[in-house]
Amino acid sequence: MKDKVVVVTGAFGALGRVVALGAAARGARVVAVDYAATPPGDLVSALGEGALFKGGVDLSDAGAATAAIDAIVEAAGRIDVLVNIAGGFAWETVGEGQAATWERLHRLNLMTTLNASKAALPHLVASGAGRIVNVGANAAVKAASGMGAYAASKAGVHRLTEALAEEYKGRVTVNAVLPSIIDTPANRADMPDADFSSWVSPQELAAVILFLASSEASAVTGSLLPVVGRV
């Protein structure tokens, strides 16, 4: 990944920062994009002077996504890899929940991925080795109680991944990882009685994402790859 321009959305979060740091460690120039206005200071120092930061970007808005991608290309010269991590989660049953939750998760998970991808695709094609890696969810393969809205939005990410892979075959590879529960501080706080040892770590998931973003994965496209825990 040396000297490749790698755009990571949701880069200020638990998984995004690990992916961003991993890409930088492999020699990439990282562009960290997030809805939050200001990147964490430790992330800025860890990524170093070559990194670019785009905070305050609402990727659920197509115009904002296009403007952000255009600014990145102007600053960095090109885009070689797009990793779509931006998203959200809510547990809510269908019967007792709100339609607004379905709309919100649709925007946070599917529309952010769609808008960023559409804006970046011309530049990824121009790269000659363009990669898109999306974050789906193992929970979207079969929805459990309280997971309807989240699973539906992530299932949309799965179908988007497959469609883009077919449409851009031979020009851009498009794949998705389907994690189980990710071992983050927020998830531990929400599920304090769970067996954390069975969860997938951000580092394990990032390793798979970075493989799919690499030249070694040039023959892999349209895959929905479960990453469900430690062996």
Side-chain angles (χ1 to χ4, degrees), residues 11-174:
F12 302 172
L15 175 60
R17 65 183 293 125
V18 175
V19 171
L21 290 169
R26 289 162 172 78
R29 185 179 189 191
V30 173
V31 183
V33 179
D34 206 281
Y35 181 75
T38 306
D42 60 337
L43 180 62
V44 174
S45 60
L47 286 176
E49 294 182 359
L52 299 173
F53 296 88
K54 291 287 294 180
V57 180
D58 181 3
L59 293 172
S60 70
D61 178 86
T66 299
I69 292 296
D70 288 347
I72 289 167
V73 173
E74 183 176 356
R78 66 182 195 280
I79 297 174
D80 301 297
V81 176
L82 172 65
V83 182
N84 285 307
I85 297 176
F89 174 80
W91 190 96
E92 189 175 273
T93 62
V94 177
E96 298 179 356
Q98 305 295 320
T101 302
W102 290 69
E103 294 172 355
R104 180 169 64 87
L105 292 186
H106 176 82
R107 292 196 309 273
L108 287 175
N109 292 322
L110 179 56
M111 296 310 296
T112 57
T113 302
L114 173 64
N115 292 337
S117 297
K118 281 179 64 67
L121 275 164
H123 309 291
L124 294 169
V125 170
S127 163
R131 306 277 185 270
I132 295 176
V133 185
N134 297 325
V135 177
N138 194 57
V141 176
K142 184 180 187 301
S145 175
M147 300 289 280
Y150 177 73
S153 65
K154 286 296 191 178
V157 173
H158 300 178
R159 302 291 82 81
L160 171 63
T161 300
E162 293 169 333
L164 283 177
E166 288 298 316
E167 292 175 16
Y168 285 82
K169 188 175 290 184
R171 294 180 290 168
V172 177
T173 69
V174 188

Side-chain angles (χ1 to χ4, degrees), residues 198-225:
S198 67
W199 294 358
V200 63
S201 73
Q203 290 75 18
E204 290 168 323
L205 184 55
V208 179
I209 290 171
L210 291 169
F211 166 71
L212 292 172
S214 72
S215 59
E216 286 80 7
S218 60
V220 183
T221 195
S223 70
L224 305 175
L225 187 59

Side-chain angles (χ1 to χ4, degrees), residues 170-191:
R171 294 180 290 168
V172 177
T173 69
V174 188
N175 296 287
V177 293
L178 279 55
S180 58
I181 301 173
I182 305 173
D183 190 359
T184 65
N187 283 338
R188 288 195 177 209
D190 288 341
M191 294 171 273

